[in-house]
Amino acid sequence: GNSVTQMEGPVTLSEEAFLTINCTYTATGYPSLFWYVQYPGEGLQLLLKATKADDKGSNKGFEATYRKETTSFHLEKGSVQVSDSAVYFCALSLHGSSNTGKLIFGQGTTLQVKP
Amino acid sequence: NAGVTQTPKFQVLKTGQSMTLQCAQDMNHEYMSWYRQDPGMGLRLIHYSVGAGITDQGEVPNGYNVSRSTTEDFPLRLLSAAPSQTSVYFCASTSGRLDADTQYFGPGTRLTVL
């Protein structure tokens, strides 16, 4: 079946450290891939996305590259800030009209950044 | 635009009670979805709708009903609440157009069933 697997958290980093959150997927066909972020007490916001192989999504210093050969979409940031503390979700959606509006999520990874 | 709004923000129910979680969007999106978020399990799709009058089941539909009488509103009904339905519920919408498959989420409803 279709699924998303993320590295388990929580991840605790010091400010300005390098961040990697691993995400791998299993899907029929070639999905679109997303990273969503959830700040404490809030809903999910789209952080970045990629719709085809080798695409790189980027936003707010975060980036992720769609790797078809390794079925991965790892999230990276060169220098994290305290304000990046949140829960990060990797997700996929399958193409086709019957799949529109449906996202398959990973478990979520909690990031805590300490000053 | 208010985006996606949900009410209430918090709710406590007793086992067997019924209630409706409200969701509305003002972006004229055709597609709307309900997810539940549980620790260690990410978000799972409960029900979704591809337009007014059309709904379908997601991954975990049991115990929940939905209807879509207008483009704007997509309420989720719990007919007889159970402790297993204690969760945080998120409503989302998307236009579904090509290259516009981003889903917009509401702030969530935290439900506790005693």
Side-chain angles (χ1 to χ4, degrees), chain B residues 25-87:
Chain B
Q25 52 92 10
D26 61 358
M27 297 173 282
N28 202 32
H29 285 171
E30 288 297 318
Y31 298 85
M32 296 186 74
S33 309
W34 276 103
Y35 296 86
R36 59 177 288 173
Q37 181 182 16
D38 300 294
M41 303 188 73
L43 280 75
R44 293 178 292 168
L45 182 65
I46 305 172
H47 284 285
Y48 66 98
S49 169
V50 301
I54 307 170
T55 64
D56 206 345
Q57 297 180 352
E59 181 186 354
V60 288
N62 292 341
Y64 308 95
N65 279 356
V66 292
S67 60
R68 183 101 179 267
S69 56
T70 66
T71 299
E72 295 77 20
D73 300 298
F74 190 43
L76 178 72
R77 297 183 185 85
L78 283 70
L79 300 178
S80 178
S84 61
Q85 294 179 303
T86 293
S87 187

Side-chain angles (χ1 to χ4, degrees), chain A residues 32 34 36 38 41-46 49 51 87 89 93 95 97-108, chain B residues 9 31-33 35 37 40-45 48 50 90 94-96 99-108:
Chain A
S32 292
F34 306 82
Y36 279 84
Q38 183 181 31
E42 298 184 11
L44 279 71
Q45 304 172 25
L46 178 68
K49 71 176 186 181
T51 57
V87 182
F89 291 94
S93 70
H95 295 300
S97 58
S98 63
N99 293 306
T100 303
K102 303 182 202 178
L103 283 170
I104 298 170
F105 284 89
Q107 316 93 295
Chain B
K9 294 199 72 171
Y31 298 85
M32 296 186 74
S33 309
Y35 296 86
Q37 181 182 16
M41 303 188 73
L43 280 75
R44 293 178 292 168
L45 182 65
Y48 66 98
V50 301
F90 289 100
T94 179
S95 67
D99 292 333
D101 52 359
T102 299
Q103 290 210 20
Y104 296 86
F105 284 81

